[in-house]
Amino acid sequence: MDPDSPAFSRRCYGYDRNEEEGLILNIAEASIVLKIFEWYERGWSIVRIKKELEALKVLTPTGKKKWPVKTIENILTNEKYTGTSVYGATESADFPSTKRTVRDPFEVHRSRNHHPAIIHERRFKRVQKLKAKRSNIEVDEHGNKVRKSTHYSSKKAVTRAKETTEPQN
């Protein structure tokens, strides 16, 4: 697949689309994306990030005042912020279903250094590990997704961080 294809240059929050150059940074939005990743790495939950964005009166990618949790989830998992454009990660199921299925990773098209990065790839990978660690969904021995009996709370992360940074006697 041609990396100059418009499919690789779909606009997302933090970027504008320029016909000649493809994706270019939107500085105001890119700074918000950077903050979202920083806050998440600090131990903030997605709900806390949502509340902070709303308190700061930051508008969503669609111009609304209330941030959907899913929008923040999508920002935290979008590889595009590393400068890599991904195409074909999912495909439509057969009609009339509207569901999308995840494709074989070997069939996914990637174009690295396609556009300016907002997040370094190392930070992106750290956040993906944190998301997996904080998730309340596990895969059992049969490959089924099951919920853990506990869920992540940034309050627990802050408490643990304080306990590990206090001097030991």
Side-chain angles (χ1 to χ4, degrees), residues 12-69:
C12 69
Y13 192 74
Y15 294 98
D16 290 324
R17 184 148 162 51
N18 178 312
E19 289 306 316
E20 296 84 44
E21 301 173 50
L23 292 176
I24 57 172
L25 286 178
N26 175 318
I27 301 300
E29 291 178 359
S31 68
I32 298 301
V33 170
L34 190 56
K35 283 270 184 228
I36 290 170
F37 275 85
E38 286 174 3
W39 290 334
Y40 195 82
E41 270 194 300
R42 272 194 221 159
W44 290 24
S45 69
I46 291 175
V47 172
R48 181 172 178 198
I49 293 170
K50 165 191 165 46
K51 289 177 181 176
E52 184 69 19
L53 292 169
E54 291 169 359
L56 294 171
K57 299 190 180 344
V58 175
L59 297 178
T60 69
T62 56
K64 296 185 172 98
K65 293 178 182 179
K66 297 283 183 192
W67 278 78
V69 168

Side-chain angles (χ1 to χ4, degrees), residues 121-137:
E121 195 171 342
R122 284 189 304 258
R123 170 172 270 171
F124 182 80
K125 286 179 180 178
R126 282 193 311 263
V127 166
Q128 301 324 296
K129 285 181 183 175
L130 285 171
K131 284 181 62 41
K133 185 177 176 183
R134 295 179 191 177
S135 175
N136 69 339
I137 297 176

Side-chain angles (χ1 to χ4, degrees), residues 1-2 39 107 124 131 145 161 164:
M1 174 157 262
D2 179 15
W39 290 334
E107 295 177 22
F124 182 80
K131 284 181 62 41
K145 291 182 179 178
T164 58

Side-chain angles (χ1 to χ4, degrees), residues 15 83 86 102 118 134 149:
Y15 294 98
V86 179
V102 177
I118 296 174
R134 295 179 191 177
S149 58

Side-chain angles (χ1 to χ4, degrees), residues 1-3 5-10 12 23 77-90 100 102-105 107-115 121 124:
M1 174 157 262
D2 179 15
S5 164
F8 277 111
S9 295
R10 286 186 53 211
C12 69
L23 292 176
T77 57
N78 193 342
E79 198 173 342
K80 191 168 271 192
Y81 295 117
T82 65
T84 298
S85 203
V86 179
Y87 180 75
T90 62
R100 297 194 63 81
V102 177
R103 292 179 73 181
D104 181 334
E107 295 177 22
V108 175
H109 303 281
R110 278 190 167 70
S111 178
R112 298 198 188 286
N113 300 314
H114 179 265
H115 52 272
E121 195 171 342
F124 182 80

